[in-house]
Structures are given as structure tokens and as C-alpha cells.
Amino acid sequence: GDSVTQMEGPVTLSEEAFLTINCTYTATGYPSLFWYVQYPGEGLQLLLKATKADDKGSNKGFEATYRKETTSFHLEKGSVQVSDSAVYFCALGTQGGSEKLVFGKGTKLTVNP
Amino acid sequence: GAGVSQSPSNKVTEKGKDVELRCDPISGHTALYWYRQSLGQGLEFLIYFQGNSAPDKSGLPSDRFSAERTGGSVSTLTIQRTQQEDSAVYLCASSLSITSYEQYFGPGTRLTVT
């Protein structure tokens, strides 16, 4: 079945460091891909999305490119801030839409000043 | 505007009791989803509704779990004869439609079965 594998954390970085969180997926058909973020004490929020191969999603300085050839959707940010400390979830939406989201296990990021 | 709301925020119950969890989606959103977040399993899909119908119940872990949605709005997730393995955070999300890509999540209900 469909699945998402993302790098396990926790990840600890200093402010202004470069961030990469790896995400790969297995899916039939052509899924949509998402990164969700959960800040401490808050609910899940959509960070960015890509709906077809080679699309790049971006938001708040974060980027991820839908790579069909490597079945990957790695999250990157050039310079992290303390406020980026959160848990990040990679997810895929089945059947081309978002009837059901399949999530990775999450990666906890801590950014120190 | 108001986001997705869930109640109660926390629920502690004894093993064997029934519980009802409630979700109020964003007004006008036709699609509603239930997920479960637990330490061992991560985030799991349970069920989704398009309007009042539930085309996909494949994620419900057992027949002790059921959900309904009335009037295309509020949904309740019911767990009968709760077990300790049911302890988790139950998340509700809604979206404009099942093809609108973005799901908006509520804060969740933390269920603890003792």
C-alpha cells in the first residue's frame, strides 16, 4: 500500500543553519505530496504542497520539490530560526486528491539560538 | 474565521466504557476526516465523509469504532468498550471538498483509557 518514510529525528540545529528533512514515498498512481507542521501546543498546519511531478512547493522560506524519479519530497530551508522549532510531517494524498492523507512518522526539529 | 473545533480537549475514561468525540468543521467545508495520532503508530487515517456519507471506512481499527455526520456539518466518532490501546490523540480535519488538497486540522482530543 501507500507509505511515506521520513528521516527520524530529533534534529537539533543552531539558528541560521541549513535544514534538510528527507522524505520518500511509495504510492500507486500519482499522489499529491505535502509537508505539515505541528508547532508546540498547536494543531497540524499545512506548510506546503506539490500536486504533480517537478512541482516545487514553498512557504515561509521552506521548499520541497516533487521528484518522481527518486520518489522523494525533501524539505529544505536555507536559514532556520528558533521559531521553526516544531514537528514536521511528510504526507501523500491518495488518488490524486486528498481523500486520505498517509503520513510519515514526523521529525522533531529544535533550533537553538 | 473559526477553525475546526473538537470537544472535549481531554477525556479520561475507564476501560470498557463508551466515549463520543465531537468535531465541528469549518463552515462550508463538505469533506471531513478523522485521524488518530499515537506514539507507536504515528498519524493514521480513520475515516472520511463527503457530505453525510462515508465512502471510505477502511481505517477504522475495529468494529468498536464508528462515526457519523449529520446535516453535512458536525461529526461524532464513537468508540465502544474502550481498550487501553485506544489511548491516542484523535484529530479531525475538514476541507472544502475531497479534491481541494488542503485539510485544516482541529486541536485534537486526547483520549486516555485507564
Side-chain angles (χ1 to χ4, degrees):
Chain A
D2 298 338
S3 67
V4 174
T5 302
Q6 64 181 101
M7 66 185 282
E8 297 193 14
V11 174
T12 303
L13 296 173
S14 297
E15 207 164 24
E16 299 183 3
F18 184 85
L19 169 71
T20 299
I21 301 178
N22 290 337
C23 171
T24 57
Y25 67 90
T26 302
T28 54
Y30 301 96
S32 301
L33 300 172
F34 307 85
W35 277 99
Y36 277 80
V37 59
Q38 190 170 32
Y39 296 104
E42 299 185 16
L44 274 170
Q45 304 172 25
L46 178 65
L47 179 60
L48 53 84
K49 68 178 185 287
T51 58
K52 61 183 188 296
D54 299 325
D55 269 2
K56 177 187 283 188
S58 60
N59 186 24
K60 299 183 180 180
F62 291 89
E63 293 183 339
T65 300
Y66 188 149
R67 301 281 188 206
K68 187 165 176 280
E69 63 275 14
T70 54
T71 61
S72 65
F73 193 56
H74 305 320
L75 183 68
E76 296 183 337
K77 186 174 186 182
S79 176
V80 293
Q81 306 299 311
V82 172
S83 57
D84 294 326
S85 297
V87 181
Y88 293 82
F89 294 90
C90 185
L92 67 83
T94 60
Q95 301 182 42
S98 66
E99 293 93 330
K100 173 168 88 173
L101 290 174
V102 176
F103 287 89
K105 294 207 179 289
T107 302
K108 183 175 181 180
L109 170 67
T110 301
V111 181
N112 295 318
Chain B
V4 177
S5 61
Q6 293 185 244
S7 60
S9 55
N10 278 287
K11 176 72 178 178
V12 180
T13 190
E14 291 180 354
K15 178 181 170 182
K17 301 280 191 187
D18 297 352
V19 294
E20 271 192 6
L21 312 180
R22 177 186 168 106
C23 172
D24 276 279
I26 293 172
S27 177
H29 281 194
T30 63
L32 185 147
Y33 311 79
W34 284 98
Y35 295 86
R36 178 168 75 173
Q37 185 174 23
S38 58
L39 278 176
Q41 300 298 323
L43 269 158
E44 307 169 87
F45 167 81
L46 298 179
I47 188 171
Y48 87 93
F49 290 88
Q50 175 59 36
N52 291 334
S53 65
D56 187 353
K57 302 180 183 180
S58 62
L60 294 177
S62 75
D63 58 9
R64 296 186 295 104
F65 287 71
S66 63
E68 65 175 15
R69 188 180 185 195
T70 54
S73 182
V74 171
S75 175
T76 54
L77 177 69
T78 302
I79 310 173
Q80 295 179 308
R81 306 181 302 281
T82 52
Q83 305 294 312
Q84 288 187 328
E85 62 262 28
D86 300 335
S87 296
V89 177
Y90 289 82
L91 296 172
C92 176
S94 70
S95 66
L96 277 172
S97 74
I98 61 172
T99 58
S100 64
Y101 295 111
E102 181 161 2
Q103 296 184 18
Y104 295 82
F105 282 79
T109 293
R110 181 174 297 277
L111 174 67
T112 303
V113 182
T114 61

